[in-house]
Amino acid sequence: SIGATPLYTGGNEYDLVSLDDIKLELQIASNTDDVWLAKQITRASNAIMQFVNRPVVPQTYQERFFFPVDPWPKTISDHICVLQLSIGPLIGRNGSVVVTHNPDSTTPVTLIEGLDYRVDIARGQITRLDPLTLYARNWPDTPILVQYQAGFSPIPDDIQDACIRLVKSRYYARQRDPMIRQENVAGVVETSYWFGNGPGNSSSNIPPDVAGLLSNYRTPIVS
């Protein structure tokens, strides 16, 4: 599958929150830090998308399906009736999933949703239909091209909250050593530092409170 055009239209096309959202949270009225804040929004958004390991900002994807063909004499003439899309969650509305049958031929056929196929948005599945009976049928062995939209629309509040928290922590940490854990000025200065990745010493650059907000959206990585 390949990514195509992002549908998000605010600020940077992959930003999870707007500059105005951040300035409202930080109670900033001036434009002095706008360039710096915009960079931090993009960096925090990228960190979150890497952490959850799935699309967040709505985008359009194309996915091709090639079915194995048995040698003659064929023992299987057609193939399973459900196509499982690899990227989700799907954004559901009529016409958001376009299926083209035999797309590489000189006469490709664009199928009709509701007549030739049915979309299960929640599961990311496409079922081939018999246009006469509207019962499920199997797919022919010629290639299938599916164009669909995946991501969150609108972006959930807790994901936006996670992005705001990341930018906010970076804003208040601009003028201090990020490795300082504790500093005691009682006659003699005593300073202790975080090691590794800081608080929690986890393998991620996402702090625990932000990771908690994102945990329901994270796709496990199996190696």
Side-chain angles (χ1 to χ4, degrees):
S1 59
I2 56 174
T5 305
L7 305 180
Y8 183 61
T9 57
N12 184 290
E13 59 194 19
Y14 294 107
D15 288 350
L16 301 179
V17 296
S18 69
L19 179 61
D20 288 341
D21 292 333
I22 295 296
K23 294 177 71 173
L24 179 63
E25 177 70 19
L26 296 174
Q27 299 182 348
I28 297 176
S30 71
N31 298 327
T32 305
D33 293 323
D34 282 7
V35 174
W36 185 88
L37 287 171
K39 289 182 179 180
Q40 300 312 309
I41 292 171
T42 300
R43 290 167 182 169
S45 299
N46 289 335
I48 287 173
M49 288 188 282
Q50 290 178 6
F51 181 79
V52 299
N53 194 35
R54 69 189 305 173
V56 177
V57 177
Q59 296 180 71
T60 300
Y61 294 87
Q62 289 185 346
E63 194 163 350
R64 287 179 179 268
F65 293 87
F66 298 93
F67 300 109
V69 179
D70 292 334
W72 189 91
K74 292 185 177 180
T75 57
I76 301 176
S77 59
D78 46 16
H79 300 271
I80 190 167
C81 60
V82 175
L83 298 181
Q84 178 64 60
L85 300 176
S86 60
I87 301 175
L90 268 62
I91 298 175
R93 60 180 180 267
N94 187 34
S96 62
V97 178
V98 178
V99 181
T100 304
H101 179 246
N102 204 13
D104 299 321
S105 72
T106 56
T107 56
V109 177
T110 300
L111 303 183
I112 301 173
E113 183 176 354
L115 182 65
D116 296 313
Y117 65 94
R118 181 177 63 242
V119 180
D120 187 331
I121 293 294
R123 295 183 174 87
Q125 296 177 341
I126 303 175
T127 302
R128 185 75 158 99
L129 299 178
D130 186 315
L132 297 179
T133 64
L134 298 184
Y135 289 162
R137 54 169 287 194
N138 288 342
W139 294 88
D141 56 15
T142 48
I144 301 294
L145 176 67
V146 182
Q147 179 174 293
Y148 59 98
Q149 297 168 6
F152 293 95
S153 180
I155 297 173
D157 287 341
D158 43 2
I159 293 182
Q160 294 189 55
D161 187 21
C163 189
I164 289 173
R165 291 192 189 193
L166 281 182
V167 177
K168 187 175 181 179
S169 65
R170 294 180 182 188
Y171 178 80
Y172 287 118
R174 292 176 72 184
Q175 303 299 327
R176 66 173 176 84
D177 188 334
M179 291 294 110
I180 292 179
R181 175 189 175 194
Q182 180 179 346
E183 192 168 27
N184 183 9
V185 185
V188 178
V189 175
E190 178 184 344
T191 304
S192 58
Y193 293 84
W194 290 109
F195 293 94
N197 292 305
N201 196 27
S202 67
S203 59
S204 170
N205 63 349
I206 303 293
D209 62 322
V210 176
L213 290 171
L214 300 173
S215 60
N216 289 335
Y217 302 97
R218 191 176 192 188
T219 302
I221 300 176
V222 179
S223 59

